[in-house]
Amino acid sequence: VYTHWFQPLGANGVRHGQSAQVHNHMFTFDANGQPEYKFKGGELLQGESDGSSYPNGGLRATHTAGAYTALDPSSPIFMMDDTIFIPTVFVSWNGHSLDEKTPLLRAEQRMSEQCVRLLGKMGYNVPQIQTNIGLEQEFFLIPRDQFCRRPDLQAAGRTILGKLPARGQEMCDHYMGPLNPHALNCLREIQDAAFQLGIPLKTRHREVAPNQYEMAPYF
């Protein structure tokens, strides 16, 4: 099973984190009616969908609803369970972006062109530049049994009842302190799962508040 995987407009904010995907089986029958598995190169590079099913910002009328996915070679293909996820962009029939990634890739291309021009003025001859980001993910790790005793955390995701934590400068709970063994095991599981998706972690460490931790995936 494979799917072209992309983030439609609105995945960042309106429908936060929502992705789009259509799963297709490689199973088919040959000319003699015998079962076989077939996957063509064209199916990897491009797909077609009904663009009217996705947010489009009024870029085109409903009758021009054709939209296309195209392979994004800058993102790694990964496999989850029985499905191959193929990162793609999603554009309308006239080239308007219908996803969150196409504007980013176009901005990166323009930045590369201008940086190459600037470096050329400085005497450096480079064909292109590549940008990478490491987004810091900060979060709190709470034992499940303790979480179940806190209705405020379950309902609101934050502390509503209780007292303020100690914020002194004592060395027992500082910014770069050793990781709690249970928290470290959790971070290792996250690290292994992320690496299988082609996302290595650049850093992992404690943060200022009690039970607060941070990790930075590297894109």
Side-chain angles (χ1 to χ4, degrees), residues 107-175:
E108 286 187 338
Q109 181 179 359
R110 297 296 182 269
M111 179 180 292
S112 177
E113 292 172 355
Q114 296 304 315
C115 287
V116 168
R117 184 184 64 83
L118 176 60
L119 291 172
K121 299 292 185 180
M122 301 170 62
Y124 297 97
N125 183 19
V126 295
Q128 64 179 10
I129 68 162
Q130 176 179 331
T131 56
N132 295 287
I133 58 175
L135 300 177
E136 295 183 353
Q137 305 292 319
E138 297 186 7
F139 48 88
F140 290 88
L141 294 177
I142 304 173
R144 184 182 297 273
D145 59 334
Q146 298 296 323
F147 179 81
C148 292
R149 297 172 59 186
R150 296 285 300 274
D152 55 341
L153 295 180
Q154 297 177 50
R158 63 187 63 192
T159 298
I160 297 178
L161 302 175
K163 63 179 182 179
L164 294 175
R167 295 299 293 268
Q169 298 299 318
E170 68 278 6
M171 297 301 290
C172 62
D173 197 20
H174 58 85
Y175 182 78

Side-chain angles (χ1 to χ4, degrees), residues 42-62:
E43 296 171 340
L44 170 68
L45 298 177
Q46 182 177 317
E48 184 176 357
S49 180
D50 179 6
S52 63
S53 301
Y54 302 93
N56 58 74
L59 294 176
R60 75 273 184 269
T62 304

Side-chain angles (χ1 to χ4, degrees), residues 45-116:
L45 298 177
Q46 182 177 317
E48 184 176 357
S49 180
D50 179 6
S52 63
S53 301
Y54 302 93
N56 58 74
L59 294 176
R60 75 273 184 269
T62 304
H63 69 277
T64 58
Y68 306 90
T69 58
L71 173 68
D72 172 21
S74 65
S75 297
I77 298 174
F78 62 92
M79 187 167 184
M80 182 178 294
D81 297 328
D82 68 339
T83 306
I84 301 173
F85 284 77
I86 305 171
T88 61
V89 298
F90 189 55
V91 296
S92 68
W93 67 279
N94 55 8
H96 289 147
S97 61
L98 301 178
D99 65 335
E100 300 283 353
K101 180 179 283 189
T102 300
L104 173 63
L105 295 178
R106 289 173 176 172
E108 286 187 338
Q109 181 179 359
R110 297 296 182 269
M111 179 180 292
S112 177
E113 292 172 355
Q114 296 304 315
C115 287
V116 168

Side-chain angles (χ1 to χ4, degrees), residues 134-141 157 167 175 187 190 203-209 211-217:
L135 300 177
E136 295 183 353
Q137 305 292 319
E138 297 186 7
F139 48 88
F140 290 88
L141 294 177
R167 295 299 293 268
Y175 182 78
L187 294 180
I190 297 174
T203 61
R204 63 184 188 198
H205 61 83
R206 295 185 62 166
E207 265 293 342
V208 177
N211 289 346
Q212 185 182 12
Y213 295 87
E214 175 188 310
M215 60 184 185

